[in-house]
Amino acid sequence: IGGTDAPAGKYGRLLANGPHFEFEKKPGVKQRFYGVNFCSTANFPSAQQADQLADRFVRLGYNSVRIHHYDNGCVEGSTDGLTLNPEKMAKLDGFLAACFKRGLYATTDLYVSRKVMWRHIGIDLDGQVEMQVFKALIAVHEPAYQNWATFAKSLLTHVNPHTGRRYADEPGMPFIALINEGSIGYAKQEARE
């Protein structure tokens, strides 16, 4: 259980079978994932750093990586907070491709901490929506949901030039959460404090 078998995705999609995971082309063989968490600017290494990191992860016994707090970097410099930054995406593409090549699987969330302005979601207020409040608004405020969906679609339909696949079709990225820690209760608690 665990370990790498490069490249990631070579056994097809990851499936849930009762209480465990297995690959569609390796039925009955339980899969377990051990990973490392990468945050913020660490998700955008140079090509050389990406190769070094992926090699190191394999040597350490990992078979997965979590791409976390990456979403601000993906849209860095955009005025709408939604347009993907080509330079940042090129680095993220390279990092993920280096991981997939070595048999490392990836996971991420479609919203973690991307900065959203109140006016981007149709509310006439200055400043930025607090992260936990935005997470709650996605569930109950249509413009917030549309903002989330627009970014999610841009990311998932983005084609990684190293793999030739859209993120949505990447078998090396089988774990995608819709919203990181997306509990409406968080926003309620913060509103009381």
Side-chain angles (χ1 to χ4, degrees), residues 65-78:
V65 62
R66 182 181 188 203
I67 306 301
H68 195 43
H69 290 284
Y70 71 99
D71 40 354
N72 277 315
C74 289
V75 297
E76 186 176 290
S78 72

Side-chain angles (χ1 to χ4, degrees), residues 99-119:
C99 290
F100 301 150
K101 178 181 176 182
R102 289 157 177 86
L104 296 159
Y105 287 81
T107 180
T108 195
D109 308 86
L110 297 177
Y111 179 81
V112 183
S113 56
R114 181 174 52 87
K115 294 177 180 150
V116 176
M117 306 307 285
W118 284 106
R119 287 189 174 82

Side-chain angles (χ1 to χ4, degrees), residues 82-162:
L82 294 169
T83 303
L84 297 178
N85 178 313
E87 292 174 15
K88 293 290 188 170
M89 290 304 299
K91 288 183 174 185
L92 182 60
D93 290 338
F95 181 39
L96 287 171
C99 290
F100 301 150
K101 178 181 176 182
R102 289 157 177 86
L104 296 159
Y105 287 81
T107 180
T108 195
D109 308 86
L110 297 177
Y111 179 81
V112 183
S113 56
R114 181 174 52 87
K115 294 177 180 150
V116 176
M117 306 307 285
W118 284 106
R119 287 189 174 82
H120 289 164
I121 59 170
I123 298 175
D124 191 21
L125 292 173
D126 292 331
Q128 176 183 328
V129 183
E130 196 278 322
M131 175 177 64
Q132 298 297 352
V133 172
F134 182 70
K135 291 175 184 179
L137 286 173
I138 292 169
V140 297
H141 182 62
E142 183 64 21
Y145 171 78
Q146 290 302 324
N147 182 284
W148 171 84
T150 299
F151 175 79
K153 182 177 181 181
S154 293
L155 183 74
L156 293 174
T157 59
H158 171 78
V159 175
N160 185 328
H162 302 280

